[in-house]
């Protein structure tokens, strides 16, 4: 496992972290399987875990709590998120911050997460949605300053809305945010335009989420793929999105190097960018943990392949189904 500096915090975090959305709320999450996968990731050097209160209304945080206890001798970095009070993902430009993140609510849900995680301080507490129009509001600033002063949160982050990487730039300029979590993958390269340069300038850590485009970049989806009704992906991969996504993935197949899977190419594309602090694939099975963690060996993709992959950038804008 290779490690990278996590922005101004100075932490050395595994460049492949663990996204814990799949621990709760998706199909196929069985407790023993999940615990085995988490333990295997730590055995392979993973030390960064990203969860959220909204992942099973605290269930994912509680799973991580047990994991931390099983590995109490190791320093594992914990990142979680405050859900929007109105429970709407993503936020909309006309939303008032008082309806999404009022000050007392920020404190309340930080306390809930502290209890679920069983820790005295959260390494990285993030806002689970964001609007840059809120940048100069005082209430959120006062709330996070107090929580930091009280020793309950060590650093703060934003989880940027899907396909809106620039909807946080003014907030980052306040110097109150230590990390930003953004969708960045072979298709979603637009964070490179403005967000990543600003984070480089401000020494802000970057967490690349959705490395496989919700599964498209594993190469396993077809136009006939159907998700169970209770699976979140059933509402995301509507025919309009599924068919287009499969077409875009199929166009990548001729570029996959010999002996490499599409999923491995997808992870290595992200790790080839030094502006990324860590990427957080979701994993429930040991075989996926082993293959994803195995991509962290210091070997990025060739300059020629990276140049070819730039041609597969797919600029998208939020829709009714993009959530």
């Amino acid at each position: 496992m290779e490690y990278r500096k996590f922005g101004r915090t100075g932490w050395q975090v595994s460049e492949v972290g663990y996204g814990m959305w799949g621990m709760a709320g998706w199909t196929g999450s069985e407790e023993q399987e999940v615990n085995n996968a988490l333990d295997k990731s730590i055995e392979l050097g993973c030390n960064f875990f990203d969860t959220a209160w909204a992942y099973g209304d605290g269930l994912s945080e509680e799973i991580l709590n047990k994991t931390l206890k099983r590995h109490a001798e190791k320093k594992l970095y914990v990142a979680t998120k405050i859900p929007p009070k109105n429970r709407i993902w993503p936020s909309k430009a006309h939303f008032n911050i008082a309806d999404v993140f009022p000050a007392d609510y920020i404190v309340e849900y930080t306390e809930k997460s502290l209890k679920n995680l069983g820790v005295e301080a959260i390494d990285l507490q993030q806002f689970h949605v964001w609007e840059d129009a809120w940048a100069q509001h005082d209430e959120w600033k006062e709330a996070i300053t107090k929580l930091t002063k009280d020793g309950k949160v060590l650093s703060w982050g934003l989880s940027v809305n899907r396909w809106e990487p620039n909807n946080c730039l003014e907030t980052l300029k306040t110097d109150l945010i230590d990390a930003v979590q953004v969708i960045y993958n072979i298709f979603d390269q637009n964070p490179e335009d403005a967000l990543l340069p600003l984070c480089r300038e401000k020494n802000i850590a970057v967490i690349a989420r959705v490395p496989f485009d919700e599964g498209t970049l594993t190469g396993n989806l077809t136009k006939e793929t159907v998700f169970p009704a209770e699976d979140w992906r059933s509402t995301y991969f509507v025919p309009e999105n599924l068919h287009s996504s499969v077409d875009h993935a199929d166009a990548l197949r001729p570029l996959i190097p010999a002996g490499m899977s599409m999923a491995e190419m997808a992870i290595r594309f992200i790790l080839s960018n030094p502006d990324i602090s860590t990427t957080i694939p979701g994993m429930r099975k040991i075989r996926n943990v082993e293959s994803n963690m195995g991509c962290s060996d210091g070997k990025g993709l060739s300059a020629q392949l990276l140049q070819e992959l730039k041609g597969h950038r797919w600029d998208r804008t939020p829709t009714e189904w993009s959530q």
Side-chain angles (χ1 to χ4, degrees):
M1 177 66 70
E2 299 284 313
Y3 297 84
R4 300 188 181 191
K5 186 164 74 73
F6 197 74
R8 62 174 72 120
T9 69
W11 305 336
Q12 292 293 317
V13 303
S14 53
E15 62 180 15
V16 180
Y18 206 120
M20 294 185 63
W21 186 1
M23 302 291 100
W26 285 23
T27 56
S29 296
E30 298 297 334
E31 185 171 4
Q32 191 57 52
E33 179 182 53
V34 162
N35 288 336
N36 290 342
L38 287 162
D39 291 344
K40 174 58 74 170
S41 76
I42 295 168
E43 178 187 323
L44 295 175
C46 180
N47 71 355
F48 186 86
F49 296 82
D50 179 84
T51 185
W53 183 90
Y55 302 166
D57 293 352
L59 176 59
S60 180
E61 291 178 330
E62 291 170 358
I63 291 171
L64 183 53
N65 179 341
K66 295 174 185 175
T67 302
L68 296 173
K69 285 182 168 59
R70 290 198 304 277
H71 300 273
E73 77 287 357
K74 300 194 173 185
K75 176 52 189 173
L76 303 177
Y77 292 97
V78 174
T80 191
K81 308 180 196 74
I82 305 166
K85 186 174 183 179
N86 62 4
R87 298 298 190 266
I88 297 176
W89 283 267
S91 62
K92 308 290 185 185
H94 65 274
F95 285 179
N96 189 318
I97 192 171
D99 298 322
V100 186
F101 293 123
D104 58 346
Y105 177 84
I106 293 171
V107 174
E108 177 189 354
Y109 271 77
T110 296
E111 296 284 4
K112 286 179 186 287
S113 290
L114 284 165
K115 181 178 179 182
N116 290 339
L117 291 163
V119 297
E120 291 185 2
I122 295 167
D123 295 310
L124 177 66
Q125 176 68 298
Q126 303 159 97
F127 292 96
H128 208 160
V129 298
W130 195 253
E131 293 296 334
D132 216 17
W134 303 335
Q136 299 309 324
H137 285 252
D138 288 336
E139 280 207 28
W140 72 268
K141 296 179 183 180
E142 291 167 2
I144 73 170
T145 299
K146 184 178 189 309
L147 286 164
T148 302
K149 184 179 178 182
D150 291 347
K152 295 181 178 180
V153 175
L154 302 184
S155 59
W156 289 90
L158 304 178
S159 183
V160 187
N161 307 335
R162 186 184 297 272
W163 303 332
E164 298 180 34
N166 296 338
N167 193 3
C168 66
L169 302 182
E170 293 306 311
T171 308
L172 299 186
K173 292 174 186 175
T174 66
D175 291 326
L176 293 172
I177 300 299
D178 306 295
V180 63
Q181 182 173 145
V182 65
I183 292 180
Y184 178 69
N185 55 49
I186 291 172
F187 295 152
D188 296 300
Q189 300 182 37
N190 51 353
E192 295 178 5
D193 299 346
L195 178 60
L196 297 189
L198 179 61
C199 289
R200 192 185 319 135
E201 174 192 334
K202 293 283 189 182
N203 198 17
I204 293 170
V206 180
I207 303 167
R209 76 177 192 266
V210 194
F212 303 127
D213 191 49
E214 308 296 6
T216 310
L217 287 167
T218 64
N220 295 328
L221 299 189
T222 71
K223 292 182 180 179
E224 289 71 47
T225 297
V226 176
F227 293 100
E230 66 273 17
D231 192 312
W232 171 84
R233 291 166 290 185
S234 68
T235 62
Y236 177 73
F237 283 112
V238 296
E240 171 194 353
N241 187 28
L242 178 64
H243 294 180
S244 184
S245 295
V246 170
D247 288 341
H248 277 83
D250 286 346
L252 288 170
R253 294 187 189 281
L255 299 180
I256 302 173
M260 191 179 291
S261 67
M262 185 183 295
E264 182 179 343
M265 182 174 74
I267 291 281
R268 290 185 182 277
F269 167 82
I270 296 168
L271 298 183
S272 296
N273 190 331
D275 288 334
I276 303 302
S277 306
T278 186
T279 185
I280 48 170
M283 301 169 281
R284 295 192 299 277
K285 298 185 182 300
I286 284 183
R287 67 172 184 271
N288 293 333
V289 170
E290 291 174 335
S291 59
N292 292 338
M293 297 292 156
C295 294
S296 177
D297 55 11
K299 299 175 184 175
L301 300 178
S302 70
Q304 179 182 346
L305 178 52
L306 287 171
Q307 190 60 40
E308 290 178 309
L309 290 174
K310 283 188 178 299
H312 290 262
R313 171 171 166 160
W314 182 13
D315 289 341
R316 294 174 275 188
T317 55
T319 68
E320 286 304 312
W321 46 262
S322 61
Q323 303 172 52

